[in-house]
Amino acid sequence: MVRRRLPSSAAPAPAALDDDDILFEVLRRLPPLPSSLPRASLVCKRWRRLVADPHFLRRFREHHRKPPILGFFSQSVDVIEFTPALDSPDSIPSSRFSLQLDDPNRCKIVDCRHGRVLFIDSERFYFVVWAPVTGERRRVGFPLSFLGKDKKWVKNGAVVCAASEQGHVHGGCHSSPFQVVLLGTGDHREGVFACVYSSETCTWGNAILVLWPQNISAICSDCASTLVGNSIFWFLLGRSFGILKFDLGRQSLAAIELPSGAVDFDAWCRNECRFLITPADGGGLSFLYLSGFSAQVWKWKASCNGGAGWMLVRNVDLNNLLSPKAGVNTRAPEIMGMAEDDNTMFLSTNVGDFVLHLESMQFKKFSVIMSDCYGINYPFRSFYSAGS
Protein backbone atom coordinates (compact mmCIF):
# COMPACT_ATOMS: atom_id res chain seq x y z
CA MET A 1 0.00 0.00 0.00
CA VAL A 2 1.38 3.40 -1.02
CA ARG A 3 0.81 6.16 1.49
CA ARG A 4 0.08 9.55 0.05
CA ARG A 5 2.01 12.40 1.59
CA LEU A 6 -0.14 15.20 2.95
CA PRO A 7 0.45 18.60 1.36
CA SER A 8 2.37 21.02 3.59
CA SER A 9 -0.75 23.15 4.18
CA ALA A 10 -2.50 20.14 5.73
CA ALA A 11 0.48 18.91 7.74
CA PRO A 12 -0.18 18.52 11.48
CA ALA A 13 0.89 21.39 13.71
CA PRO A 14 4.12 20.95 15.67
CA ALA A 15 3.59 19.24 19.01
CA ALA A 16 4.75 22.40 20.81
CA LEU A 17 1.62 24.19 19.61
CA ASP A 18 -0.50 21.70 21.56
CA ASP A 19 0.49 23.75 24.61
CA ASP A 20 -1.89 26.71 24.93
CA ASP A 21 0.76 28.89 26.59
CA ILE A 22 3.21 28.38 23.69
CA LEU A 23 0.47 28.87 21.11
CA PHE A 24 -0.54 32.07 22.91
CA GLU A 25 3.00 33.46 22.59
CA VAL A 26 3.21 32.49 18.91
CA LEU A 27 -0.12 34.03 17.94
CA ARG A 28 0.41 37.31 19.76
CA ARG A 29 3.48 37.85 17.59
CA LEU A 30 1.43 37.84 14.40
CA PRO A 31 1.57 41.20 12.55
CA PRO A 32 -1.01 43.72 13.87
CA LEU A 33 -2.77 43.82 10.49
CA PRO A 34 -6.54 43.47 9.93
CA SER A 35 -6.27 40.02 8.31
CA SER A 36 -3.90 38.39 10.84
CA LEU A 37 -6.27 37.23 13.58
CA PRO A 38 -9.23 36.38 11.30
CA ARG A 39 -6.94 34.11 9.27
CA ALA A 40 -5.60 32.46 12.42
CA SER A 41 -9.17 31.87 13.64
CA LEU A 42 -9.89 29.78 10.52
CA VAL A 43 -7.28 27.14 11.41
CA CYS A 44 -9.43 25.38 14.03
CA LYS A 45 -11.88 26.00 16.86
CA ARG A 46 -9.08 26.05 19.42
CA TRP A 47 -7.25 28.85 17.61
CA ARG A 48 -10.51 30.72 17.12
CA ARG A 49 -11.29 30.51 20.82
CA LEU A 50 -7.84 31.77 21.76
CA VAL A 51 -7.65 34.80 19.43
CA ALA A 52 -11.16 35.89 20.46
CA ASP A 53 -10.30 35.87 24.18
CA PRO A 54 -10.20 39.44 25.64
CA HIS A 55 -7.05 38.60 27.61
CA PHE A 56 -5.28 37.54 24.41
CA LEU A 57 -6.42 40.67 22.54
CA ARG A 58 -5.11 42.88 25.35
CA ARG A 59 -1.72 41.13 25.34
CA PHE A 60 -1.63 41.23 21.53
CA ARG A 61 -1.99 45.03 21.61
CA GLU A 62 0.49 45.41 24.45
CA HIS A 63 3.05 43.43 22.46
CA HIS A 64 2.76 45.61 19.35
CA ARG A 65 2.11 48.93 21.16
CA LYS A 66 1.45 50.90 17.94
CA PRO A 67 -1.51 49.97 15.74
CA PRO A 68 -1.15 50.29 11.97
CA ILE A 69 -2.35 53.27 9.97
CA LEU A 70 -5.51 51.88 8.38
CA GLY A 71 -6.04 54.91 6.16
CA PHE A 72 -6.71 58.64 6.02
CA PHE A 73 -9.77 60.77 6.61
CA SER A 74 -10.22 63.93 4.57
CA GLN A 75 -13.03 66.25 3.60
CA SER A 76 -14.26 67.95 0.46
CA VAL A 77 -16.99 70.59 0.49
CA ASP A 78 -19.70 68.17 1.63
CA VAL A 79 -18.17 64.68 1.71
CA ILE A 80 -16.15 62.85 4.37
CA GLU A 81 -13.70 60.51 2.61
CA PHE A 82 -11.73 57.52 3.89
CA THR A 83 -8.72 56.43 1.83
CA PRO A 84 -7.35 52.95 2.72
CA ALA A 85 -3.61 52.83 3.38
CA LEU A 86 -2.98 49.06 3.36
CA ASP A 87 -2.78 46.58 0.50
CA SER A 88 -5.06 43.57 0.11
CA PRO A 89 -6.00 41.51 2.12
CA ASP A 90 -5.63 44.20 4.81
CA SER A 91 -7.20 47.07 2.90
CA ILE A 92 -10.35 48.44 4.58
CA PRO A 93 -13.12 49.32 2.07
CA SER A 94 -13.88 53.04 2.00
CA SER A 95 -17.54 52.28 2.61
CA ARG A 96 -16.72 50.53 5.91
CA PHE A 97 -15.79 53.84 7.53
CA SER A 98 -18.53 56.13 6.28
CA LEU A 99 -20.46 58.66 8.33
CA GLN A 100 -23.70 60.48 7.65
CA LEU A 101 -23.46 63.93 9.22
CA ASP A 102 -26.52 66.04 10.01
CA ASP A 103 -25.17 68.85 7.83
CA PRO A 104 -21.91 67.98 6.02
CA ASN A 105 -21.74 71.51 4.60
CA ARG A 106 -21.27 72.88 8.12
CA CYS A 107 -19.46 70.03 9.92
CA LYS A 108 -15.70 70.00 9.54
CA ILE A 109 -12.99 67.53 10.58
CA VAL A 110 -10.62 69.09 13.10
CA ASP A 111 -8.84 66.09 14.65
CA CYS A 112 -8.25 62.33 14.52
CA ARG A 113 -6.51 60.47 17.34
CA HIS A 114 -6.68 57.31 19.47
CA GLY A 115 -9.27 55.62 17.26
CA ARG A 116 -11.66 58.59 17.13
CA VAL A 117 -12.46 61.39 14.66
CA LEU A 118 -13.58 64.84 15.82
CA PHE A 119 -15.91 67.12 13.84
CA ILE A 120 -17.04 70.65 14.65
CA ASP A 121 -20.15 72.62 13.72
CA SER A 122 -19.43 76.19 14.82
CA GLU A 123 -22.80 77.50 13.65
CA ARG A 124 -24.87 75.03 15.65
CA PHE A 125 -22.43 74.93 18.57
CA TYR A 126 -21.48 71.28 18.91
CA PHE A 127 -18.76 68.67 18.30
CA VAL A 128 -19.29 65.16 16.94
CA VAL A 129 -16.97 62.45 18.32
CA TRP A 130 -16.98 59.35 16.10
CA ALA A 131 -15.30 55.95 16.62
CA PRO A 132 -15.20 54.47 13.07
CA VAL A 133 -14.40 50.90 14.19
CA THR A 134 -17.44 50.58 16.47
CA GLY A 135 -19.62 53.14 14.70
CA GLU A 136 -20.31 54.92 18.00
CA ARG A 137 -21.10 58.60 17.56
CA ARG A 138 -21.58 61.19 20.30
CA ARG A 139 -22.73 64.77 19.95
CA VAL A 140 -21.10 67.16 22.44
CA GLY A 141 -22.65 70.63 22.76
CA PHE A 142 -20.48 73.67 23.43
CA PRO A 143 -20.61 75.23 26.93
CA LEU A 144 -22.99 77.98 25.81
CA SER A 145 -23.33 79.56 29.24
CA PHE A 146 -19.67 80.58 28.91
CA LEU A 147 -19.50 81.25 25.17
CA GLY A 148 -22.45 83.60 25.17
CA LYS A 149 -20.90 86.18 27.51
CA ASP A 150 -18.54 88.21 25.37
CA LYS A 151 -18.88 87.06 21.76
CA LYS A 152 -16.48 84.17 22.00
CA TRP A 153 -16.03 81.84 19.01
CA VAL A 154 -14.86 78.24 18.85
CA LYS A 155 -12.04 77.89 16.32
CA ASN A 156 -10.57 74.42 16.76
CA GLY A 157 -10.49 71.34 18.96
CA ALA A 158 -8.78 68.06 19.78
CA VAL A 159 -9.79 64.60 20.97
CA VAL A 160 -7.70 62.34 23.22
CA CYS A 161 -8.23 59.02 24.97
CA ALA A 162 -8.70 59.46 28.73
CA ALA A 163 -8.07 55.84 29.78
CA SER A 164 -5.76 55.76 32.79
CA GLU A 165 -5.32 52.06 33.56
CA GLN A 166 -1.77 50.71 33.61
CA GLY A 167 -0.57 49.23 30.32
CA HIS A 168 -3.33 50.83 28.24
CA VAL A 169 -2.51 50.86 24.51
CA HIS A 170 -4.08 53.50 22.32
CA GLY A 171 -5.68 52.17 19.16
CA GLY A 172 -7.76 49.50 20.82
CA CYS A 173 -9.61 51.98 23.01
CA HIS A 174 -12.69 52.70 20.94
CA SER A 175 -14.95 52.34 23.97
CA SER A 176 -12.64 53.98 26.52
CA PRO A 177 -13.45 57.40 28.03
CA PHE A 178 -12.24 60.41 26.08
CA GLN A 179 -11.71 64.14 26.41
CA VAL A 180 -12.47 66.91 23.93
CA VAL A 181 -10.47 70.13 24.10
CA LEU A 182 -12.35 73.18 22.83
CA LEU A 183 -10.23 76.05 21.57
CA GLY A 184 -11.74 79.49 21.02
CA THR A 185 -11.17 83.22 20.90
CA GLY A 186 -12.83 86.38 22.12
CA ASP A 187 -12.13 89.81 20.70
CA HIS A 188 -8.66 90.92 19.63
CA ARG A 189 -7.78 92.27 23.09
CA GLU A 190 -8.76 89.19 25.03
CA GLY A 191 -6.82 86.19 23.79
CA VAL A 192 -7.30 82.43 23.46
CA PHE A 193 -9.21 80.15 25.79
CA ALA A 194 -9.44 76.37 26.20
CA CYS A 195 -12.06 74.22 27.89
CA VAL A 196 -12.13 70.41 28.38
CA TYR A 197 -15.09 68.04 28.10
CA SER A 198 -15.00 64.67 29.88
CA SER A 199 -17.04 61.75 28.53
CA GLU A 200 -16.96 60.19 32.01
CA THR A 201 -18.79 63.08 33.68
CA CYS A 202 -20.48 64.50 30.54
CA THR A 203 -19.49 67.98 31.72
CA TRP A 204 -17.19 70.82 30.66
CA GLY A 205 -14.43 72.06 32.94
CA ASN A 206 -13.49 75.66 33.66
CA ALA A 207 -12.24 77.89 30.86
CA ILE A 208 -8.50 78.68 30.79
CA LEU A 209 -7.32 81.92 29.15
CA VAL A 210 -4.01 83.13 27.76
CA LEU A 211 -3.43 86.58 26.21
CA TRP A 212 -2.35 86.96 22.61
CA PRO A 213 1.41 87.33 22.08
CA GLN A 214 2.52 90.47 20.24
CA ASN A 215 1.48 90.57 16.52
CA ILE A 216 -0.52 87.32 16.85
CA SER A 217 -4.30 87.40 16.71
CA ALA A 218 -5.67 84.13 15.30
CA ILE A 219 -5.71 80.35 15.66
CA CYS A 220 -5.02 78.47 12.45
CA SER A 221 -8.37 76.73 11.99
CA ASP A 222 -7.09 74.66 9.03
CA CYS A 223 -4.12 73.16 10.92
CA ALA A 224 -4.35 69.88 12.80
CA SER A 225 -3.32 69.68 16.44
CA THR A 226 -0.24 67.73 17.52
CA LEU A 227 0.02 65.68 20.72
CA VAL A 228 3.52 65.64 22.24
CA GLY A 229 3.80 63.90 25.59
CA ASN A 230 0.86 65.12 27.66
CA SER A 231 0.40 68.41 25.81
CA ILE A 232 -1.52 69.42 22.68
CA PHE A 233 -0.19 72.09 20.32
CA TRP A 234 -1.78 74.33 17.67
CA PHE A 235 -0.40 76.90 15.24
CA LEU A 236 -1.03 80.63 15.91
CA LEU A 237 -0.70 83.30 13.25
CA GLY A 238 -0.82 87.03 12.58
CA ARG A 239 1.95 89.37 11.48
CA SER A 240 4.19 86.90 13.32
CA PHE A 241 3.74 83.24 14.25
CA GLY A 242 3.50 81.14 17.38
CA ILE A 243 2.47 77.86 18.95
CA LEU A 244 -0.27 77.38 21.52
CA LYS A 245 0.39 74.72 24.17
CA PHE A 246 -2.32 73.11 26.30
CA ASP A 247 -1.00 70.87 29.10
CA LEU A 248 -3.65 68.20 29.77
CA GLY A 249 -2.25 67.23 33.16
CA ARG A 250 -1.80 70.71 34.58
CA GLN A 251 -4.79 72.16 32.70
CA SER A 252 -2.64 75.13 31.68
CA LEU A 253 -2.45 77.17 28.49
CA ALA A 254 0.62 79.00 27.13
CA ALA A 255 1.67 80.74 23.92
CA ILE A 256 5.17 80.23 22.50
CA GLU A 257 6.43 82.71 19.92
CA LEU A 258 8.45 81.41 16.97
CA PRO A 259 11.83 82.87 15.98
CA SER A 260 11.30 86.06 13.94
CA GLY A 261 13.25 84.75 10.94
CA ALA A 262 11.91 81.19 10.97
CA VAL A 263 8.73 81.72 8.93
CA ASP A 264 8.32 84.08 5.97
CA PHE A 265 4.98 85.86 6.47
CA ASP A 266 4.67 86.99 2.85
CA ALA A 267 5.47 83.48 1.57
CA TRP A 268 2.82 82.10 3.95
CA CYS A 269 0.23 84.54 2.54
CA ARG A 270 1.13 83.41 -1.00
CA ASN A 271 0.75 79.77 0.08
CA GLU A 272 4.38 79.11 -0.81
CA CYS A 273 5.44 77.54 2.47
CA ARG A 274 4.16 75.06 5.03
CA PHE A 275 4.54 74.72 8.76
CA LEU A 276 4.26 71.59 10.92
CA ILE A 277 4.43 71.06 14.70
CA THR A 278 6.21 67.78 15.48
CA PRO A 279 7.65 65.77 18.38
CA ALA A 280 11.39 66.37 18.77
CA ASP A 281 14.11 63.74 18.64
CA GLY A 282 14.38 62.26 22.11
CA GLY A 283 11.22 64.03 23.31
CA GLY A 284 10.10 67.62 23.49
CA LEU A 285 8.76 70.03 20.88
CA SER A 286 9.91 70.83 17.35
CA PHE A 287 8.52 72.54 14.32
CA LEU A 288 9.32 72.07 10.65
CA TYR A 289 9.24 74.88 8.11
CA LEU A 290 8.97 73.74 4.48
CA SER A 291 9.60 76.14 1.62
CA GLY A 292 10.10 74.69 -1.86
CA PHE A 293 12.51 71.75 -1.50
CA SER A 294 14.13 73.15 1.64
CA ALA A 295 13.03 72.15 5.15
CA GLN A 296 14.25 73.57 8.45
CA VAL A 297 13.79 71.73 11.75
CA TRP A 298 13.73 73.85 14.92
CA LYS A 299 13.71 72.48 18.48
CA TRP A 300 12.52 74.08 21.71
CA LYS A 301 15.40 73.65 24.17
CA ALA A 302 15.92 74.58 27.80
CA SER A 303 18.95 76.73 28.57
CA CYS A 304 21.38 76.40 31.47
CA ASN A 305 19.94 79.50 33.21
CA GLY A 306 16.47 77.95 33.45
CA GLY A 307 15.00 79.61 30.36
CA ALA A 308 14.11 78.08 27.02
CA GLY A 309 14.31 79.03 23.35
CA TRP A 310 14.34 77.82 19.77
CA MET A 311 17.38 76.31 18.12
CA LEU A 312 17.79 75.43 14.44
CA VAL A 313 18.93 71.79 14.53
CA ARG A 314 18.69 70.65 10.93
CA ASN A 315 18.48 71.83 7.32
CA VAL A 316 17.12 69.24 4.89
CA ASP A 317 17.36 69.37 1.10
CA LEU A 318 14.43 67.29 -0.15
CA ASN A 319 15.92 67.25 -3.65
CA ASN A 320 18.41 64.70 -2.30
CA LEU A 321 15.59 62.48 -1.03
CA LEU A 322 13.11 62.57 -3.89
CA SER A 323 13.76 60.27 -6.86
CA PRO A 324 11.73 61.76 -9.71
CA LYS A 325 11.09 59.92 -12.95
CA ALA A 326 13.52 60.65 -15.77
CA GLY A 327 12.49 63.72 -17.72
CA VAL A 328 9.87 64.82 -15.18
CA ASN A 329 10.22 68.10 -13.33
CA THR A 330 9.16 67.50 -9.75
CA ARG A 331 7.10 70.27 -8.17
CA ALA A 332 7.83 71.27 -4.61
CA PRO A 333 6.25 68.84 -2.13
CA GLU A 334 3.17 69.75 -0.09
CA ILE A 335 2.53 68.50 3.44
CA MET A 336 -0.59 66.33 3.36
CA GLY A 337 -0.63 64.93 6.89
CA MET A 338 1.31 64.01 10.00
CA ALA A 339 1.48 60.81 12.09
CA GLU A 340 2.61 62.03 15.50
CA ASP A 341 2.98 58.51 17.01
CA ASP A 342 6.04 57.70 14.91
CA ASN A 343 6.94 61.25 13.80
CA THR A 344 6.34 60.81 10.09
CA MET A 345 4.86 63.24 7.61
CA PHE A 346 3.19 62.58 4.29
CA LEU A 347 4.18 64.63 1.25
CA SER A 348 2.52 64.99 -2.13
CA THR A 349 4.26 65.78 -5.44
CA ASN A 350 3.36 65.44 -9.10
CA VAL A 351 5.39 62.19 -9.26
CA GLY A 352 3.64 60.54 -6.33
CA ASP A 353 3.13 60.68 -2.58
CA PHE A 354 5.95 60.05 -0.12
CA VAL A 355 6.51 59.28 3.57
CA LEU A 356 9.31 61.05 5.43
CA HIS A 357 10.40 59.85 8.87
CA LEU A 358 11.58 63.02 10.59
CA GLU A 359 14.08 61.44 12.99
CA SER A 360 15.91 59.12 10.58
CA MET A 361 15.10 61.24 7.46
CA GLN A 362 14.23 58.02 5.64
CA PHE A 363 12.14 58.84 2.59
CA LYS A 364 10.08 56.34 0.61
CA LYS A 365 7.35 56.23 -2.01
CA PHE A 366 3.84 55.75 -0.64
CA SER A 367 1.50 53.48 -2.59
CA VAL A 368 -1.63 55.37 -1.50
CA ILE A 369 -2.76 58.44 -3.41
CA MET A 370 -4.02 60.80 -0.72
CA SER A 371 -6.91 63.17 -1.18
CA ASP A 372 -6.07 66.82 -1.84
CA CYS A 373 -9.54 68.14 -1.00
CA TYR A 374 -8.48 70.62 1.68
CA GLY A 375 -4.80 69.75 1.86
CA ILE A 376 -5.23 67.97 5.23
CA ASN A 377 -5.33 64.19 5.56
CA TYR A 378 -5.82 62.78 9.05
CA PRO A 379 -4.05 59.40 9.55
CA PHE A 380 -6.31 56.88 11.28
CA ARG A 381 -4.49 54.36 13.48
CA SER A 382 -6.33 51.45 15.02
CA PHE A 383 -6.21 47.75 15.75
CA TYR A 384 -8.89 46.18 13.58
CA SER A 385 -9.91 42.70 12.48
CA ALA A 386 -11.15 42.26 8.92
CA GLY A 387 -14.79 41.35 8.75
CA SER A 388 -15.62 42.79 12.17
Side-chain angles (χ1 to χ4, degrees):
M1 178 179 178
V2 178
R3 294 185 178 179
R4 296 178 60 188
R5 186 172 183 179
L6 292 173
S8 58
S9 60
L17 296 185
D18 290 337
D19 185 310
D20 273 5
D21 291 338
I22 295 177
L23 179 60
F24 184 102
E25 293 301 320
V26 171
L27 293 178
R28 80 184 183 106
R29 285 167 170 77
L30 289 172
L33 297 173
S35 68
S36 294
L37 298 185
R39 283 181 157 186
S41 71
L42 296 176
V43 172
C44 63
K45 290 182 178 179
R46 175 169 163 257
W47 285 35
R48 187 180 309 123
R49 171 182 53 79
L50 186 60
V51 300
D53 183 86
H55 175 65
F56 170 82
L57 293 173
R58 185 174 63 253
R59 293 287 303 278
F60 179 78
R61 293 162 184 160
E62 288 174 355
H63 175 76
H64 291 289
R65 300 301 303 173
K66 289 182 181 178
I69 294 178
L70 300 181
F72 299 86
F73 283 101
S74 58
Q75 185 172 11
S76 64
V77 175
D78 58 357
V79 177
I80 307 299
E81 297 182 355
F82 175 74
T83 304
L86 301 174
D87 296 327
S88 182
D90 298 299
S91 179
I92 309 299
S94 300
S95 59
R96 174 63 182 82
F97 293 152
S98 61
L99 176 66
Q100 295 296 322
L101 293 167
D102 295 337
D103 193 337
N105 291 310
R106 271 198 286 258
C107 269
K108 172 186 172 184
I109 300 177
V110 291
D111 204 19
C112 181
R113 182 178 295 108
H114 300 162
R116 289 184 172 93
V117 186
L118 182 68
F119 301 87
I120 187 173
D121 186 332
S122 297
E123 294 183 29
R124 295 188 177 180
F125 312 114
Y126 66 83
F127 288 106
V128 173
V129 183
W130 177 44
V133 171
T134 63
E136 178 190 359
R137 179 173 61 169
R138 183 180 298 194
R139 183 165 162 163
V140 178
F142 296 168
L144 296 180
S145 59
F146 174 77
L147 296 179
K149 286 183 179 179
D150 304 305
K151 294 184 178 179
K152 298 180 175 66
W153 297 274
V154 175
K155 296 294 186 180
N156 214 318
V159 62
V160 294
C161 176
S164 58
E165 64 267 22
Q166 186 175 3
H168 177 80
V169 177
H170 295 307
C173 47
H174 317 106
S175 300
S176 298
F178 63 86
Q179 292 179 323
V180 174
V181 182
L182 175 153
L183 201 64
T185 64
D187 59 31
H188 176 73
R189 297 179 301 277
E190 187 170 12
V192 187
F193 68 88
C195 198
V196 180
Y197 171 85
S198 167
S199 69
E200 293 181 280
T201 62
C202 296
T203 58
W204 288 94
N206 296 325
I208 304 158
L209 176 72
V210 65
L211 298 178
W212 292 114
Q214 186 176 8
N215 296 324
I216 293 177
S217 58
I219 302 165
C220 183
S221 58
D222 292 328
C223 299
S225 67
T226 302
L227 178 67
V228 180
N230 202 36
S231 297
I232 306 176
F233 298 87
W234 293 267
F235 183 36
L236 299 175
L237 51 90
R239 290 299 303 179
S240 59
F241 299 86
I243 293 175
L244 185 69
K245 174 184 178 181
F246 180 72
D247 189 308
L248 285 162
R250 298 178 180 178
Q251 296 282 289
S252 62
L253 198 61
I256 305 169
E257 294 186 64
L258 297 188
S260 57
V263 182
D264 187 327
F265 178 79
D266 293 329
W268 173 269
C269 294
R270 295 192 301 268
N271 203 32
E272 293 176 354
C273 63
R274 293 288 187 275
F275 174 96
L276 192 65
I277 303 170
T278 71
D281 294 359
L285 176 67
S286 285
F287 77 88
L288 179 142
Y289 175 66
L290 177 63
S291 177
F293 287 88
S294 175
Q296 292 183 340
V297 180
W298 295 75
K299 183 174 183 180
W300 182 253
K301 287 191 172 184
S303 61
C304 56
N305 60 7
W310 292 105
M311 178 178 294
L312 179 62
V313 295
R314 185 178 295 173
N315 280 293
V316 183
D317 183 0
L318 297 181
N319 267 313
N320 297 330
L321 299 175
L322 285 167
S323 300
K325 298 177 182 178
V328 176
N329 291 324
T330 306
R331 64 170 166 79
E334 296 183 23
I335 298 174
M336 301 298 290
M338 167 77 184
E340 61 198 15
D341 293 332
D342 48 14
N343 211 4
T344 57
M345 69 175 179
F346 302 90
L347 302 171
S348 177
T349 74
N350 60 321
V351 295
D353 293 337
F354 296 84
V355 182
L356 175 62
H357 190 273
L358 294 172
E359 292 186 12
S360 66
M361 284 297 156
Q362 291 182 340
F363 203 83
K364 67 179 181 179
K365 190 80 174 283
F366 196 46
S367 59
V368 174
I369 299 176
M370 291 179 286
S371 170
D372 59 357
C373 296
Y374 277 170
I376 302 176
N377 286 255
Y378 294 86
F380 179 65
R381 282 188 181 274
S382 180
F383 292 105
Y384 179 81
S385 294
S388 63

